Amino acid sequence: MNETSRDCDLLLTGGSVVTVDDERRVIEPGSVAVSGNRIVAVGPDEDLAGYRAGRTIDCSGHAVLPGLIDTHDHLFQGLARGLGEGMPLWTWLTDFMWPFSISINLEEGRIGAKLGAVEALKAGTTTVIDNHYAPSDLDTTLAVAGAIHEVGLRGAVARGIVGEATDIARRFNLAGELFSYSNDEEIEITTAAMEQYPAGERVQVWPAPLNIIYNDQDLVRRSVALAREAGVGWHTHCSERLEDPPTYLEEYGIRPVEWLYQEGLLGPEATIAHGIYLDDAEIDHVGETGTGIAYCPISHQYIALGVMRLRDLRASGAPIGLGTDGPCCNHRQDMFEVMKQAILLQRVHTLEPTISNGEEALEMATREGARYANIEAGELAPGKLADIIVVNMKSPHLTPWHRTVSAITYCVRGSDVVHSIIDGNLALENGRCTMVDEEEVMREAQARAEDLIDRAGLHGLLTPWRR
């Protein structure tokens, strides 16, 4: 018999509940009870039958799992989706992304972020770390944070801090209009934005020195101090190209992550995108300090950057999350595709089919992503934040349905997500956003994107067929 009845706001019943909890339970059929913004119970249907819910959703034929956490994104780049094909990274930056970024205005940045947030929500992402750097004035930064919040996502706007051009930036033709603020101005703008979206809010603003390789060292120190004082994370790109550590070593006499470690800048509030080219000592440092690394397997392939040392990083104890890396290096906000590629890239690189599996990918997309983002989510367990997604498993590409974890990581598409609960609220219901008008968002994004590409002078990238 059940224990005495209890009340809850929302009860999900009859689903294949993939908890990703400490015991890694898969409960079939199972139920999840939510009160307020927290999960209050998870277990077999019969164990939760005594709950009286304000609303019950029958999840029969569906998988119920923690919301997915995108640990590195650039939502504003959605207005240039599909362009910049076939370029090495710094050519991609200088000939495509920098002109695009310099030309974008507040309204374009806002609608680009809103479009990306809608796409992410509909594909099962519940938390996003959005590295926004164009434009990075205060009003646009706040508008981007507001757009993410309005759609219903949880996350952080990691405000890209560029500051004054360094010798490395000039040497590689990265200096220019994007380096428009002084170091003092960068800190002032970031501080003001963080005051509007502080620690503890569903959407926060973090400092994000854009790339350790070409950021001024003192500006990095000041950015980290700002994050620590405010009790939030900080974000950066680092060691994504083979040439990055040697370039930094030549300029400063030390490798970049080694420098961060010696300066005391690594730690659980530090999050690094890519980290492909770390040596053994640097891997030990990120593990020792609990520094997060965002693994972005699709962009690593798209720009031919290389393959992260996933096994060594995971063994070090560092939180390793998964990231889409934005619509210009991935083209879709689909974390299910990222999970699949995270496995396959490791296997083809090592020629070893046992090197990674679906369980690891799902862990990185959920509970490890939550460690990285420092949020109480990423698993279906009592006391955790009610960030939950429900996936329809009744489709030809999911039939026959034998093993739920394998189906999730190899077969499910973002379009299979039917419900997304974030902070206890149904932000996506029956595949439709509940807080914004999707069609209006798409119409505005299309119109503004066409004007932006024209103004940025990127017509040469619109060739219908490349030869």
Side-chain angles (χ1 to χ4, degrees):
M1 295 293 293
N2 297 307
E3 297 180 0
T4 57
S5 296
R6 299 178 183 178
D7 294 332
C8 65
D9 296 320
L10 177 65
L11 185 64
L12 307 175
T13 65
S16 177
V17 178
V18 184
T19 64
V20 205
D21 65 3
D22 291 345
E23 289 76 39
R24 306 304 196 270
R25 292 179 299 159
V26 178
I27 306 168
E28 298 174 311
S31 295
V32 181
V34 172
S35 285
N37 70 342
R38 297 281 172 170
I39 297 169
V40 294
V42 180
D45 280 348
E46 59 269 22
D47 289 357
L48 274 67
Y51 274 83
R52 295 176 302 197
R55 178 173 181 183
T56 298
I57 298 177
D58 180 6
C59 297
S60 302
H62 294 67
V64 181
L65 59 147
L68 307 180
I69 298 169
D70 185 348
T71 59
H72 181 63
D73 207 338
H74 302 287
L75 294 175
F76 79 94
Q77 293 179 4
L79 297 191
R81 189 195 308 269
L83 303 181
E85 163 68 14
M87 297 178 176
L89 178 60
W90 281 17
T91 302
W92 184 89
L93 289 172
T94 57
D95 294 353
F96 165 46
M97 189 45 60
W98 268 197
F100 172 79
S101 300
I102 290 165
S103 301
I104 196 170
N105 63 32
L106 184 154
E107 291 301 326
E108 292 158 349
R110 174 195 57 79
I111 195 61
K114 197 170 185 178
L115 174 68
V118 165
E119 183 188 358
L121 174 64
K122 288 173 69 69
T125 294
T126 55
T127 296
V128 61
I129 308 301
D130 180 40
N131 184 202
H132 179 79
Y133 59 86
S136 60
D137 60 279
L138 176 60
D139 288 344
T140 305
T141 303
L142 296 177
V144 167
I148 295 169
H149 190 276
E150 184 181 355
V151 170
L153 290 178
R154 188 186 304 283
V157 176
R159 179 187 175 268
I161 294 172
V162 179
E164 297 156 17
T166 61
D167 289 342
I168 290 177
R170 283 187 284 267
R171 189 190 320 166
F172 289 95
N173 299 316
L174 296 175
E177 293 181 53
L178 205 64
F179 292 77
S180 58
Y181 295 116
S182 70
N183 291 356
D184 287 343
E185 288 171 329
E186 293 280 20
I187 297 299
E188 290 168 5
I189 294 169
T190 307
T191 301
M194 291 166 64
E195 289 171 351
Q196 296 295 313
Y197 287 90
E201 296 297 317
R202 175 160 56 82
V203 177
Q204 306 171 9
V205 172
W206 294 359
L210 194 55
N211 194 315
I212 297 301
I213 306 304
Y214 56 77
N215 271 125
D216 174 75
Q217 288 186 327
D218 188 57
L219 184 56
V220 175
R221 296 186 189 97
R222 295 175 66 184
S223 299
V224 175
L226 181 60
R228 289 175 173 171
E229 181 180 354
V232 299
W234 69 274
H235 190 63
T236 191
H237 297 76
C238 191
S239 298
E240 59 185 307
R241 297 187 321 140
L242 178 62
E243 300 86 354
D244 283 352
T247 297
Y248 204 81
L249 182 63
E250 179 184 353
E251 182 72 19
Y252 297 107
I254 193 170
R255 291 174 62 90
V257 173
E258 182 67 39
W259 176 76
L260 290 170
Y261 179 72
Q262 291 192 11
E263 291 287 324
L265 304 178
L266 299 180
E269 74 284 348
T271 60
I272 293 174
H274 308 303
I276 300 171
Y277 295 101
L278 306 185
D279 67 13
D280 291 347
E282 290 174 314
I283 288 174
D284 288 343
H285 295 333
V286 299
E288 173 193 334
T289 57
T291 295
I293 305 291
Y295 176 26
C296 306
I298 294 178
S299 71
H300 293 175
Q301 295 173 81
Y302 182 73
I303 302 187
L305 293 171
V307 183
M308 173 190 280
R309 295 174 60 182
L310 181 61
R311 288 275 61 76
D312 295 334
L313 282 162
R314 292 269 284 169
S316 79
I320 309 299
L322 297 181
T324 59
D325 201 10
C328 286
C329 280
N330 183 309
H331 304 288
R332 300 225 310 267
Q333 301 289 110
D334 189 339
M335 286 286 289
F336 292 97
E337 184 177 26
V338 173
M339 280 192 274
K340 184 174 182 176
Q341 292 298 319
I343 303 165
L344 301 184
L345 180 58
Q346 295 294 318
R347 289 182 179 180
V348 75
H349 179 65
T350 60
L351 303 181
E352 175 51 70
T354 65
I355 200 72
S356 185
N357 59 28
E359 282 79 0
E360 177 176 60
L362 187 55
E363 286 178 357
M364 290 190 290
T366 55
R367 60 183 290 138
E368 284 297 290
R371 282 182 66 205
Y372 175 108
N374 194 26
I375 56 175
E376 295 178 317
E379 56 184 290
L380 303 184
K384 296 295 183 179
L385 287 166
D387 291 2
I388 307 163
I389 61 174
V390 180
V391 179
N392 180 12
M393 305 294 283
K394 298 178 291 186
S395 296
H397 64 278
L398 289 160
T399 303
W401 172 13
H402 292 301
R403 188 169 175 274
T404 303
V405 171
S406 294
I408 287 169
T409 53
Y410 293 114
C411 306
V412 166
R413 305 166 182 158
S415 55
D416 296 318
V417 176
V418 290
H419 304 302
S420 288
I421 298 127
I422 302 174
D423 213 37
N425 299 309
L426 264 169
L428 185 80
E429 185 172 3
N430 296 317
R432 302 290 297 175
C433 296
T434 64
M435 300 183 182
V436 296
D437 184 331
E438 299 172 28
E439 282 74 21
E440 179 56 34
V441 170
M442 290 189 289
R443 280 193 296 270
E444 183 181 354
Q446 182 66 43
R448 291 192 182 278
E450 291 172 5
D451 182 65
L452 172 57
I453 297 305
D454 181 67
R455 199 170 65 249
L458 297 175
H459 310 90
L461 301 181
L462 300 177
T463 303
W465 187 276
R466 294 183 55 198
R467 297 183 184 277

